[in-house]
């Protein structure tokens, strides 16, 4: 069972599945075009430019289709519809784990809290990338009024281990969560991961 006592190995999105990959391809194409155009004789340069423009259009079409491909990089859930949730049991002695980077999602936490209160359940979504980063994280989401709010991620020192054991879509683990005010007066979220091993049949 993941313990978080030592730093875990980082999980990263494969380069060809990374959200920034198409832009690397486009950048490389532009560099090649710039170099090659300078080497083309002036009398046939317009023909060469026409070919490169067509090539650029083809890359843009590919980029658009790439973002909608079936194997697109996982993102936080937008709706609970179609997902299967496995609820962990409430254990009397809770081991609360602070959700990392919750300060970036104060608005989402406040919105979720308005619907569900301080004590609720959070969904763990593994294999998520934030922005254009390749690093894979376990996103933490809370449902409120049929909408899912991202409230942060599991901390990096434990999230690598959990990536290896959490189920993949459409099955997700749902754990007890507590929304509270920090000493600075900002909203934060803690989750209780202690029931996950039993829910997944993992040896302690």
């Amino acid at each position: 069972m993941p313990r978080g006592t030592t730093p875990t190995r980082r999980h990263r999105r494969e380069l060809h599945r990374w959200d920034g990959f198409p832009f690397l391809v486009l950048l490389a194409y532009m560099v090649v075009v710039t170099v090659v155009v300078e080497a083309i004789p002036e009398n046939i340069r317009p023909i060469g430019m026409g070919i490169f423009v067509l090539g650029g259009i083809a890359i843009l079409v590919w980029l658009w289709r790439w973002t909608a491909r079936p194997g697109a990089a996982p993102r936080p859930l937008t709706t609970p519809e179609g997902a299967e949730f496995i609820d962990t049991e409430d254990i009397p002695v809770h081991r609360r784990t602070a959700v990392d980077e919750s300060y970036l999602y104060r608005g989402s936490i406040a919105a979720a809290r308005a619907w569900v209160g301080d004590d609720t359940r959070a969904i763990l979504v593994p294999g998520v990338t934030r922005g254009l980063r390749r690093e894979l994280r376990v996103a933490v989401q809370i449902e409120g009024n049929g909408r899912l709010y991202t409230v942060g991620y599991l901390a990096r020192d434990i999230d690598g281990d959990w990536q290896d054991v959490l189920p993949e879509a459409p099955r997700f683990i749902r754990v007890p969560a507590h929304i509270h005010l920090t000493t600075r007066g900002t909203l934060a979220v803690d989750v209780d991961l202690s029931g996950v091993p039993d829910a997944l049949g993992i040896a302690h």
Side-chain angles (χ1 to χ4, degrees), residues 185-199:
T186 59
L187 288 172
V189 180
D190 293 341
V191 291
D192 182 3
L193 304 174
S194 56
V196 175
D198 285 339

Side-chain angles (χ1 to χ4, degrees), residues 44-106:
I44 61 171
R45 188 167 294 175
I47 298 175
M49 287 299 297
I51 294 173
F52 286 130
V53 167
L54 291 175
I57 293 173
I59 287 180
L60 289 175
V61 171
W62 169 77
L63 190 155
W64 174 74
R65 296 185 63 182
W66 188 91
T67 58
R69 72 200 188 286
R75 291 174 174 81
L77 301 175
T78 56
T79 174
E81 294 181 8
E84 176 189 342
F85 297 111
I86 305 170
D87 287 312
T88 62
E89 293 185 10
D90 290 322
I91 299 175
V93 180
H94 296 291
R95 304 175 193 172
R96 288 182 177 173
T97 301
V99 174
D100 196 22
E101 300 181 34
S102 58
Y103 63 91
L104 297 174
Y105 300 92
R106 295 173 191 167

